[in-house]
């Protein structure tokens, strides 16, 4: 095995023309290596129910992707390691089920992560549930962990019941509960065939609808609502995973391509004593999506969100927990599409907070819980991102969003009775808060501040404790590289109709506007993929800027956080306005005088990879070279829930799918292309790139190719990602310099 120093030498030679880089030069290997250059990264931030502790998941010092459980005592102000995942596994290799691998790939926050990826507090706040290595452990506060399950099967999606007496989980496609005290298990469901699962989110829900679970506890801990999924109607694809050991695995995957049948989903109510399941009536139309499920506080009623196949109607059904009978409480309708949220939050009296885009911008509403009447609490040409907490006692709704600039995110509050919106957070930048009692956890960053975790006062916004200050000082992992750090600038320009587009620039540290620089664009470009934020960024674009490139990231029309009209620009027209906006961005910078228009490149991942191919094909005189990673090439190869939302059905009039396909435009491709794809990608199938290779070869179009055996859509692993960035840098160095 090549040791780390040898690998550093190999990579330096590979991307630097054979010369070893100086120690303070940031290499692609160091960019991906541990400890993380941005400092400690945390996720899963939670207040303990008693409000005395803050718990979170943090990467280990020597392996950033392996997560351990930490706690921060809010009284003493001390942070400590609560559970070391490696120690708990005691040297055993962590083996994940295929279902768990897929779940982590669907949930982007878990992609590539290992160790403790989730945990749950019981209601009393005196014990934690820790899933690890496929089994479940209960850790009493101040005590020793006790193993709750010990099977060869994988127990997933585990959580405490609201009263803390039980733990629920999914094993082998069925739903179970286990008594915490006695350890006695009860199997609540029985999957009748290998196409049926109970308590799990189907592919479309997890990948495209933001629903990662398939079951919901009643507040009284007596019943679990669960999704029964039958995938029999879904087409079976043979997906081939080419592994890094030279083997090829053929996997039959039920994948709902656009225009083909989806899984059939039913909603059942299972008593935890093992009694008969009651089925909820979700209507005659079975070709729908089960979007969300929320129990009312009295456990007598559920609100079931039913989304139409075309995603233009969201019905909120009120279901009786005693009979399963439903009626429609209210509906959201749009001639664009309805964006789903997790914002429905009940008050103790049965009223609930809701968010809607019925004005064109997402805002907060209050429902009386009796009929469809809504009282609007916020308004204006700005966006509420998510409801974070409803404090019934204080009469306040706390939410994240923006009022002044979409480049920032802040914490706000608004009275339930209506009134003035108050901004809580103070610093300019991007705040990702978790609201507690009297305080909030602020995961905050800005272009000059790496991600930090602070405990702040809910009234004043001022800091009480620094959990992870992550100060950019001489002791910071990035300190050795700070001298040549890329400069960051933000700007905007207008496109047709006077629409303002925002962009972020990465500039060489010694940038001189009197010189001519090569330019590389790096958008995501697709729906719900905002990239231009006043937040910390340390990625491949930093490497490029250090090598003398100007990198421009533009949030084009069609993306999230600017209102529904801004998003709707791509409806039935993917690959049109996005490319026009990127070209306009190039022209905007060229007018500034420091860009060499003959040396303009493009790179992107996933939708950004699709954008790369479309840019090279539609604007070959603008873009000379492009790196496309895991690109969609034909939307007929992609899934129902995503593709049909934006393009409708494949058989609709107008040849929408044909026009949005890369293959309709490849005749214009003249620039240099580097195509990269993971050979086990179960999201954007490798088929997309295989078909592209065939067409390019048939038409004698030269291109470069790099594939990664065994890697899925995220292409994870420190060494592998360093290799990927090395190939990308080498490609641009050869073609734009």
């Amino acid at each position: 095995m090549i040791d780390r120093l040898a690998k550093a030498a190999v990579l330096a030679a590979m991307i630097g023309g054979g010369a070893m880089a100086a120690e303070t030069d940031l290499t692609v290997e160091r960019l991906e290596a541990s400890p993380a250059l941005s400092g400690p990264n945390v996720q899963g931030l939670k207040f303990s129910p008693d409000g005395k502790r803050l718990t979170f998941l943090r990467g280990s010092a020597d392996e950033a992707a392996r997560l351990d459980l930490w706690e921060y005592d809010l009284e003493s102000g001390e942070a400590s390691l609560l559970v070391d995942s490696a120690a708990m596994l005691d040297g055993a290799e962590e083996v994940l089920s295929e279902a768990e691998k897929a779940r982590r790939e669907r949930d982007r926050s878990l992609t590539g992560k290992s160790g403790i990826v989730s945990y749950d507090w019981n209601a009393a706040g005196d014990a934690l549930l820790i899933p690890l290595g496929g089994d479940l452990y209960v850790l009493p506060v101040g005590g020793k962990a006790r193993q709750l399950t010990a099977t060869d099967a994988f127990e997933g999606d585990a959580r405490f019941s609201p009263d803390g007496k039980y733990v629920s989980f999914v094993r082998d496609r069925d739903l179970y509960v286990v008594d915490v005290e006695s350890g006695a298990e009860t199997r609540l469901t029985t999957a009748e065939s290998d196409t049926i699962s109970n308590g799990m989110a189907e592919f479309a829900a997890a990948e495209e609808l933001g629903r990662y679970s398939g079951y919901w506890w009643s507040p009284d801990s007596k019943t679990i609502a669960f999704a029964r999924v039958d995938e029999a109607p879904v087409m079976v694809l043979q997906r081939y995973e080419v592994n890094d050991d030279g083997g090829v695995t053929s996997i039959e995957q039920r994948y709902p391509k656009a225009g083909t049948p989806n899984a059939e989903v039913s909603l059942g109510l299972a008593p935890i004593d093992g009694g008969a399941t009651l089925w909820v009536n979700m209507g005659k139309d079975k070709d729908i999506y089960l979007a969300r499920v929320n129990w009312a506080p009295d456990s007598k009623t559920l609100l079931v969100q039913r989304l139409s196949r075309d995603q233009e109607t969201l019905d909120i059904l009120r279901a009786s927990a005693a009979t399963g009978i439903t009626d429609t409480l209210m509906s959201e309708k749009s001639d664009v599409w309805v964006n789903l949220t997790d914002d429905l939050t009940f008050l103790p009296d049965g009223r609930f907070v809701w968010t809607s885009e019925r004005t064109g911008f997402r805002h907060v509403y209050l429902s009386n819980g009796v009929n469809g009447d809504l009282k609007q609490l916020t308004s204006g040409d700005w966006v509420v991102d998510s409801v974070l907490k409803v404090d019934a006692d204080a009469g306040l709704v706390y939410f994240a969003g923006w009022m002044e600039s979409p480049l920032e995110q802040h914490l706000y509050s608004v009275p339930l009775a209506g009134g003035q919106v108050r901004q809580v957070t103070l610093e300019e930048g991007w705040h990702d808060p978790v609201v507690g009692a009297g305080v909030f956890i602020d995961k905050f960053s800005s272009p000059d501040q790496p991600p930090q975790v602070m405990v702040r006062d809910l009234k004043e916004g001022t800091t009480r404790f620094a959990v992870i200050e992550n100060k950019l000082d001489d002791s910071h992992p990035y300190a050795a590289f700070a001298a040549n750090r890329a400069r960051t600038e933000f700007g905007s320009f207008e496109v047709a109709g006077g629409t303002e587009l925002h962009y972020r620039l990465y500039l060489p540290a010694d940038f001189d506007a009197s010189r001519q620089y090569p330019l590389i664009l790096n958008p995501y470009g697709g729906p719900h993929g905002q990239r231009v934020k006043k937040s910390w960024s340390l990625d491949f674009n930093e490497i490029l800027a250090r090598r003398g490139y100007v990198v421009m990231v533009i949030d084009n029309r069609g993306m999230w956080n600017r209102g529904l009209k801004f998003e709707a620009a791509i409806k039935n027209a993917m690959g049109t306005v996005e490319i026009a906006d990127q070209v306009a961005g190039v022209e905007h910078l060229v007018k500034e005088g420091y860009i060499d228009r003959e040396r303009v490149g493009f790179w992107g991942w996933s939708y950004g990879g699709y954008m790369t191919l479309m840019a090279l094909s539609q604007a070959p005189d603008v873009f000379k070279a492009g790196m496309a990673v895991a690109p969609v090439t034909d939307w007929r190869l992609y899934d129902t829930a995503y593709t049909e939302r934006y393009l409708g059905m494949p058989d609709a009039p107008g040849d929408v799918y044909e026009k949005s396909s890369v293959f309709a435009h490849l005749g214009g491709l003249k620039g240099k292309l580097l195509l990269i794809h993971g050979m086990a990608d179960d999201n954007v199938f490798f088929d997309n790139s295989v078909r592209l290779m065939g067409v390019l070869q048939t038409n004698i179009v030269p291109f470069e190719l790099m594939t990664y055996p065994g890697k899925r859509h995220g292409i994870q692993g420190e060494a592998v990602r360093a290799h990927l960035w090395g190939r990308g840098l080498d490609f641009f160095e050869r073609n734009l310099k």
Side-chain angles (χ1 to χ4, degrees):
M1 180 178 291
I2 303 174
D3 63 29
R4 294 183 66 84
L5 290 176
K7 283 199 296 182
V10 170
L11 281 167
M14 181 179 73
I15 67 174
M20 280 293 291
E23 287 185 1
T24 55
D25 283 349
L26 181 58
T27 65
V28 291
E29 187 197 33
R30 183 62 193 93
L31 179 69
E32 291 295 335
S34 299
L37 282 178
S38 292
N41 185 30
V42 302
Q43 59 190 75
L45 290 157
K46 297 180 183 180
F47 284 109
S48 61
D50 60 11
K52 294 180 179 180
R53 294 176 175 84
L54 165 62
T55 46
F56 53 90
L57 302 173
R58 175 177 171 177
S60 64
D62 59 346
E63 191 180 350
R66 180 175 61 79
L67 303 181
D68 298 323
L69 181 60
W70 285 69
E71 70 168 346
Y72 183 87
D73 191 302
L74 295 176
E75 294 180 0
S76 68
E78 294 183 358
S80 59
L81 177 63
L82 195 59
V83 181
D84 183 325
S85 59
M88 183 172 281
L89 285 170
D90 195 24
E93 182 181 357
E94 186 176 18
V95 179
L96 304 180
S97 67
E98 287 301 315
E100 180 63 13
K101 290 177 183 177
R103 186 182 77 88
R104 295 188 189 187
E105 192 72 17
R106 302 287 83 79
D107 185 345
R108 299 296 187 262
S109 68
L110 300 180
T111 301
K113 297 296 193 297
S114 62
I116 302 171
V117 300
S118 65
Y119 67 97
D120 191 31
W121 279 100
N122 67 359
D126 57 13
L128 286 155
L129 173 66
I130 302 171
L132 185 61
D135 286 314
L136 306 178
Y137 300 80
V138 172
L139 175 65
V141 173
K144 186 178 180 180
R146 175 169 59 91
Q147 191 165 351
L148 195 61
T149 64
T151 68
D152 293 334
F154 196 100
E155 284 86 36
D157 194 11
R159 70 194 79 147
F160 279 113
S161 60
D163 63 10
K165 294 181 180 179
Y166 300 91
V167 165
S168 53
F169 59 87
V170 176
R171 177 195 292 154
D172 292 335
R173 297 178 293 110
D174 272 312
L175 186 61
Y176 292 75
V177 294
V178 56
D179 187 293
V180 174
E181 286 297 319
S182 68
E185 282 187 4
T186 302
R187 182 175 180 173
L188 300 183
T189 65
T190 301
E192 302 96 314
S193 73
D194 59 6
T195 67
I196 293 174
S197 65
N198 294 297
M200 298 175 65
E202 73 277 19
F203 177 92
E207 180 62 41
E208 308 300 358
L209 304 183
R211 177 170 66 77
Y212 305 111
S213 181
Y215 73 91
W216 304 266
W217 276 99
S218 63
D220 63 9
S221 299
K222 294 181 179 179
T223 308
I224 296 180
F226 69 95
R228 178 186 182 274
V229 176
D230 187 355
E231 291 189 301
V234 180
M235 68 185 303
V236 178
L237 296 182
Q238 291 290 337
R239 180 169 63 83
Y240 299 96
E241 292 190 356
V242 181
N243 305 309
D244 54 9
D245 61 2
V248 178
T249 303
S250 176
I251 296 177
E252 284 193 352
Q253 180 173 341
R254 291 187 180 271
Y255 185 89
K257 282 187 180 180
T260 68
N262 274 320
E264 292 185 358
V265 183
S266 307
L267 182 64
L269 303 178
I272 64 164
D273 62 9
T277 295
L278 175 70
W279 297 100
V280 174
N281 180 7
M282 291 201 296
K284 294 181 180 179
D285 186 0
K286 302 301 180 184
D287 195 12
I288 52 91
Y289 296 105
L290 174 61
R292 301 288 188 270
V293 175
N294 298 85
W295 283 91
D298 61 6
S299 297
K300 296 179 180 179
T301 304
L302 305 90
L303 293 189
V304 181
Q305 296 182 39
R306 180 185 64 193
L307 183 65
S308 60
R309 174 82 181 243
D310 64 12
Q311 300 184 55
E312 294 181 7
T313 301
L314 178 68
D315 294 319
I316 293 81
L317 306 179
R318 179 170 42 198
S320 166
T323 65
I325 296 173
T326 61
D327 67 312
T328 302
L329 177 64
M330 63 182 190
S331 297
E332 294 284 346
K333 297 181 183 294
S334 171
D335 58 3
V336 180
W337 51 73
V338 177
N339 287 310
L340 299 174
T341 77
D342 294 312
D343 293 337
L344 195 158
T345 307
F346 273 101
L347 280 73
D349 61 7
R351 294 180 298 162
F352 61 87
V353 167
W354 176 252
T355 56
S356 169
E357 292 180 292
R358 57 186 59 192
T359 67
F361 292 87
R362 183 184 291 170
H363 282 293
V364 181
Y365 294 79
L366 179 64
S367 168
N368 59 20
V370 177
N371 52 39
D373 293 345
L374 293 173
K375 177 182 178 181
Q376 189 168 354
L377 301 183
T378 65
S379 62
D381 292 350
W382 51 275
V383 175
V384 170
D385 180 76
S386 57
V387 170
L388 302 175
K389 181 177 181 177
V390 178
D391 188 336
D393 293 334
L396 293 171
V397 179
Y398 292 95
F399 64 90
W402 65 271
M403 294 184 70
E404 301 299 327
S405 169
L407 276 62
E408 298 184 38
Q409 179 166 279
H410 287 278
L411 172 63
Y412 301 90
S413 68
V414 65
L416 278 166
Q420 185 175 359
V421 174
R422 182 177 68 90
Q423 181 175 317
V424 179
T425 44
L426 305 175
E427 300 90 344
E428 179 182 281
W430 199 267
H431 299 263
D432 189 8
V434 177
V435 180
V439 295
F440 67 98
I441 308 165
D442 194 3
K443 188 176 181 182
F444 165 74
S445 80
S446 72
D448 297 315
Q449 172 59 59
Q452 59 179 198
V453 179
M454 316 295 277
V455 176
R456 293 184 159 136
D457 185 272
L458 202 48
K459 290 184 178 180
E460 305 298 330
T462 52
T463 301
R464 290 193 183 181
F465 306 105
V467 180
I468 299 177
E469 188 174 12
N470 207 12
K471 189 176 181 180
L472 197 54
D473 56 19
D474 291 343
S475 65
H476 196 277
Y478 186 64
F481 310 100
N484 296 320
R485 184 185 171 205
R487 290 170 48 184
T488 296
E489 291 185 4
F490 294 89
S492 65
F493 60 93
E494 289 188 356
V495 291
T499 301
E500 182 183 27
L501 300 181
H502 297 282
Y503 63 85
R504 179 175 188 157
L505 292 182
Y506 298 80
L507 304 169
D510 61 352
F511 176 76
D512 180 352
S514 66
R515 294 170 54 191
Q516 290 272 292
Y517 293 88
L519 171 67
I520 298 177
L521 269 65
N522 172 226
Y524 174 73
H528 290 268
Q530 183 183 3
R531 292 280 309 283
V532 183
K533 305 175 182 179
K534 288 188 176 179
S535 60
W536 177 259
S537 177
L538 184 56
D539 55 19
F540 183 50
N541 291 333
E542 169 87 7
I543 297 283
L544 291 171
R546 284 171 175 264
R547 290 300 182 104
Y549 298 89
V550 171
V551 182
M552 187 182 201
V553 179
I554 305 169
D555 279 351
N556 49 253
R557 285 172 290 173
M559 298 181 71
W560 161 248
N561 210 20
R562 295 286 303 279
L564 204 52
K565 182 179 179 181
F566 189 86
E567 286 186 70
I570 62 167
K571 185 175 176 65
N572 297 329
M574 280 179 164
T576 57
V577 296
E578 311 102 291
I579 305 303
D581 289 352
Q582 300 298 321
V583 171
V586 174
E587 296 303 325
H588 173 76
L589 278 199
V590 167
K591 290 177 183 177
E592 297 293 316
Y594 55 82
I595 296 300
D596 181 352
R597 68 161 56 247
E598 297 304 316
R599 294 187 293 158
V600 179
F602 205 106
W603 86 270
W605 199 307
S606 196
Y607 199 100
Y610 165 73
M611 290 273 288
T612 302
L613 296 171
M614 293 295 261
L616 289 175
S617 300
Q618 292 186 33
D621 295 331
V622 177
F623 302 106
K624 311 302 182 183
M627 178 174 76
V629 186
V632 175
T633 58
D634 188 333
W635 291 107
R636 284 166 289 209
L637 299 176
Y638 206 56
D639 68 59
T640 53
Y642 183 94
T643 315
E644 293 168 12
R645 182 188 307 150
Y646 306 114
L647 296 181
M649 299 295 278
D651 59 0
D655 293 327
V656 171
Y657 278 71
E658 182 64 27
K659 293 174 182 176
S660 296
S661 166
V662 166
F663 299 103
H665 305 276
L666 281 180
L669 194 152
K670 295 190 300 186
K672 303 295 184 180
L673 170 64
L674 171 59
L675 178 63
I676 296 176
H677 215 125
M679 300 180 80
D681 195 329
D682 63 345
N683 177 6
V684 179
F685 280 17
F686 189 48
D687 300 22
N688 283 269
S689 285
V690 170
R691 185 180 172 197
L692 177 62
M693 293 177 221
V695 172
L696 293 176
Q697 291 162 354
T698 299
N699 289 279
I700 320 178
V701 178
F703 65 98
E704 297 181 35
L705 175 68
M706 180 55 63
T707 58
Y708 288 96
K711 297 303 178 183
R712 301 197 180 205
H713 193 58
I715 310 182
Q716 296 296 320
E718 290 182 3
V720 170
R721 286 179 77 90
H723 185 274
L724 189 157
W725 301 135
R727 292 294 85 215
L729 183 56
D730 173 71
F731 171 78
F732 285 122
E733 293 280 77
R734 287 185 285 106
N735 291 296
L736 293 185
K737 280 194 174 180

